Amino acid sequence: MPHTPDPSASAARFDRAGLDPQLAHLLELIEKAKRPALNQMDVADAKIAYAKSAPILDLMPADMAVVEDFTIPARDGHPISMRLVAPREPSWVDPMPVLLYYHGGGFTVGGIGTHDALCRRLAELGDCMVLSVDYRLGPEWRFPTAAHDAFDAMQWTFDNAERLGADPARIALGGDSAGGTLATVAAIEARNLGLSPVLQLLIYPGTCGWQDTPSHLALTEGYMLTREMILWFFSHYLRSDADRDDWRFAPLDAGGDGADVTGCCPAWIAVAQFDPLVDEGIAYARKLQAAGVAAELVHYDGMIHDFFKMARFVPAVAKAHADAGHALRRAFGLERGRAGEQQHGTN
């Protein structure tokens, strides 16, 4: 059930003076533009608007040696679109590690195209192939369809890794925002199925059933992702509030205790200071650590939700991209490094 903590104790954490200068300027420009927010549009128009606007702040998509689009069958026979990108040609004699990636967008907007540049960047920095999953979205497809598609794509990747030129012993799961939610629950389902991914790369993941953490209550508007937008997304995804008590939506606290995460694969979790989701990302890292799961939590000061896709406008994002690349390379056995909790400033 929801609760209402007092956000006043967290006021200093969200002092706007700590916002990255480029992001502060960006938010000023957005405010002056007076364009309607996604939650002020019809859902069909919002999907189109997000697809058009997503690349504006992102890097140009890097050239890849391999770009392949195909479909795989979901458990109900529906075709799930996938995109494979790789910085070099894989082969059975030199298989590459692979990151299975779930895009963000509140389970309502987004797709392979909106996150193509980010996936290519992760492929470059992680020296791996990336498989991007075009899971089904609301309101046409409501919970738990997205989670089932995520699970089916994961099982297919493990079953078909060698055919792709991928190393089945070096498969990572990753995603941002709603896609981060899917990566967390896919990691739990992998444990349930006896699969062994090497990492869950979680970029400002959603993990809680009710949006009532101090950061949710303090950061209701002014940082692109607003409280009204979050509630609008979930109104198009969840069938009813009862779904909030399902671990496939809220692995942190569904039903009170959330999912049992014992035995899940290691995690790298990125959170942003001015993101409504920051507290649940921190709490999920603590939950994993308490269960004996290695979880590296990285705080990015001055950043907002979706900052991983703003590298063209915000130079400080390059450091976060590099950190994610290092996390992947460590998990794939390509470099050594010590994981732990980190705090990154951006000024």
Side-chain angles (χ1 to χ4, degrees):
M1 292 295 293
H3 57 284
T4 54
D6 180 3
S8 60
S10 301
R13 296 168 55 205
F14 308 122
D15 183 347
R16 198 176 176 92
L19 193 63
D20 176 90
Q22 284 82 12
L23 274 175
H25 180 51
L26 171 64
L27 293 175
E28 289 176 4
L29 294 175
I30 292 172
E31 176 63 24
K32 290 178 181 178
K34 301 294 184 183
R35 293 180 178 173
L38 295 177
N39 56 288
Q40 296 171 331
M41 304 178 187
D42 290 336
V43 66
D45 292 335
K47 291 175 186 287
I48 294 170
Y50 183 77
K52 290 182 176 179
S53 64
I56 293 174
L57 301 177
D58 213 341
L59 297 172
M60 290 294 292
D63 290 336
M64 292 277 108
V66 178
V67 179
E68 181 182 353
D69 292 328
F70 56 93
T71 63
I72 64 169
R75 62 188 62 190
D76 61 0
H78 185 91
I80 302 173
S81 294
M82 305 273 283
R83 175 170 293 171
L84 169 67
V85 298
R88 56 185 172 85
E89 288 281 353
S91 70
W92 66 272
V93 295
D94 184 22
M96 295 183 70
V98 58
L99 168 65
L100 182 66
Y101 196 84
Y102 307 107
H103 68 82
F107 305 103
T108 307
V109 301
I112 287 174
T114 61
H115 286 63
D116 186 51
L118 177 57
C119 286
R120 292 176 186 230
R121 186 64 175 148
L122 292 173
E124 283 185 319
L125 295 172
D127 192 18
C128 63
M129 61 174 62
V130 175
L131 267 175
S132 182
V133 185
D134 208 13
Y135 58 89
R136 283 173 279 181
L137 302 173
E140 296 84 359
W141 301 95
R142 292 186 178 261
F143 179 87
T145 304
H148 286 168
D149 286 355
F151 298 163
D152 294 346
M154 175 180 66
Q155 183 69 66
W156 186 92
T157 301
F158 273 91
D159 291 344
N160 292 273
E162 292 182 357
R163 185 175 69 80
L164 297 173
D167 184 349
R170 292 186 296 167
I171 296 174
L173 310 171
D176 62 290
S177 194
T181 307
L182 295 178
T184 68
V185 299
I188 296 166
E189 183 70 357
R191 186 272 321 274
N192 295 343
L193 296 173
L195 305 175
S196 299
V198 296
L199 184 70
Q200 44 183 318
L201 186 86
L202 310 179
I203 302 171
Y204 30 81
T207 64
C208 69
W210 297 92
Q211 289 60 59
D212 58 4
T213 64
S215 59
H216 272 289
L217 298 178
L219 303 171
T220 58
E221 58 183 359
Y223 299 96
M224 291 184 67
L225 180 65
T226 66
R227 181 173 183 82
E228 288 185 359
M229 189 181 299
I230 294 169
L231 297 177
W232 181 84
F233 282 144
F234 294 160
S235 75
H236 291 298
Y237 177 54
L238 300 176
R239 297 165 299 186
S240 72
D241 278 348
D243 288 337
R244 295 174 182 271
D245 286 328
D246 192 307
W247 67 269
R248 294 168 297 178
F249 174 71
L252 174 66
D253 58 5
D257 296 327
D260 176 6
V261 297
T262 306
C264 287
C265 62
W268 182 87
I269 304 176
V271 296
Q273 181 181 3
F274 295 96
D275 180 1
L277 276 61
V278 60
D279 285 346
E280 60 200 90
I282 294 170
Y284 197 68
R286 301 284 187 262
K287 179 183 179 76
L288 291 170
Q289 292 164 352
V293 177
E296 179 180 4
L297 176 66
V298 191
H299 305 251
Y300 290 96
D301 292 342
M303 294 290 106
I304 65 175
H305 193 78
D306 214 28
F307 78 95
F308 259 66
K309 296 180 75 282
M310 301 177 184
R312 186 185 304 189
F313 196 89
V314 183
V317 175
K319 178 63 170 65
H321 286 179
D323 292 341
H326 287 309
L328 287 168
R329 291 175 61 85
R330 289 195 303 268
F332 295 146
L334 300 175
E335 67 178 43
R336 295 181 179 180
R338 182 178 179 181
E341 185 163 339
Q342 303 177 39
Q343 186 90 18
H344 287 314
T346 59
N347 297 326

